[in-house]
Amino acid sequence: MLQQIVLHLVKWYQKYLSPLTPPSCRYYPTCSNYMIMAVKKHGVFLGLIMGIARIIRCNPFVRGGVDFVPDQFTLLRNPHPEQYEDEIIARKFHPPK
């Protein structure tokens, strides 16, 4: 029940508040999508903590990049975004050298 409330609030934010501001998330997936995935994967308490930590990391002083929700709970970003197969996303954040 609580999980559905949290997911509904995030989706409400995506639908009504997010379009009012220019796109500014430095990560893929966006912070709000990350929050949804984290809550679904790790439950309300740990998912909210992971989502809030991700929002704090999303600031002008970080490069951003691909950062999917890990299988294990952690407050750190994905250390190896190059593992992901999606070439389009990977090249956007990590151009070939």
Side-chain angles (χ1 to χ4, degrees):
M1 179 67 174
L2 185 58
Q3 181 176 10
Q4 293 304 315
I5 293 170
V6 170
L7 294 176
H8 181 72
L9 288 172
V10 175
K11 289 177 184 179
W12 182 87
Y13 161 81
Q14 289 178 326
K15 185 173 183 178
Y16 296 107
L17 294 181
S18 183
L20 299 176
T21 61
S24 60
C25 189
R26 298 177 173 277
Y27 289 102
Y28 179 86
T30 63
C31 293
S32 57
N33 285 327
Y34 184 95
M35 176 81 77
I36 289 171
M37 289 188 279
V39 168
K40 286 181 179 179
K41 188 180 269 191
H42 296 288
V44 174
F45 184 70
L46 294 179
L48 279 173
I49 291 172
M50 291 178 75
I52 291 168
R54 166 71 177 274
I55 292 168
I56 291 170
R57 286 195 311 266
C58 189
N59 64 68
F61 302 107
V62 297
R63 187 168 125 203
V66 178
D67 182 30
F68 288 103
V69 177
D71 292 331
Q72 302 293 325
F73 172 79
T74 181
L75 298 178
L76 304 175
R77 71 176 286 183
N78 182 353
H80 300 289
E82 68 277 359
Q83 292 177 347
Y84 294 101
E85 299 285 325
D86 194 329
E87 294 287 325
I88 297 169
I89 296 168
R91 284 187 186 161
K92 177 179 177 185
F93 293 103
H94 302 287
K97 296 177 182 177

